[in-house]
């Protein structure tokens, strides 16, 4: 990532995550977003259950994966990296 994971980037990443990601992935990254709970989308895993790297997270945000579409048109490069940093933070918290 070209960004340092300082509080400003994590704060912005959190806001973007809450807008675009938490509906499926959950606020904690546990795969229990509102669409999962309502069974509108199934099979969203917890971040703790996946092997994630900065590059793999960025790639999925940019290109999408399975039923998740690309978010490249919704976030610029800096914003995508901010979300990556926030997802890594969530993963670390889940693994505690």
């Amino acid at each position: 990532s070209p960004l340092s994971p300082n509080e400003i980037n994590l704060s912005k990443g959190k806001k973007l995550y809450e807008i675009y990601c938490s509906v499926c992935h959950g606020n904690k990254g546990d795969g229990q977003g509102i669409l999962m709970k309502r069974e509108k989308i199934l099979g969203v895993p917890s971040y703790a259950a996946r092997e994630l790297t900065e590059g793999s997270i960025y790639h999925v945000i940019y290109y999408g994966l399975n039923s998740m579409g690309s978010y490249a048109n919704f976030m610029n490069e800096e914003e995508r990296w901010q979300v990556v940093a926030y997802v890594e933070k969530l993963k670390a918290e889940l693994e505690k």
Side-chain angles (χ1 to χ4, degrees), residues 11-22:
S11 173
K12 289 178 182 177
K14 179 181 180 185
K15 288 177 186 175
L16 292 164
Y17 180 90
E18 289 172 347
I19 293 168
Y20 296 111
C21 313
S22 66

Side-chain angles (χ1 to χ4, degrees), residues 62-81:
Y62 195 87
Y63 293 104
L65 179 67
N66 298 327
S67 63
M68 179 182 149
S70 169
Y71 282 80
N73 290 331
F74 300 99
M75 292 182 258
N76 64 36
E77 182 180 6
E78 180 179 22
E79 291 170 332
R80 290 190 294 271
W81 284 115

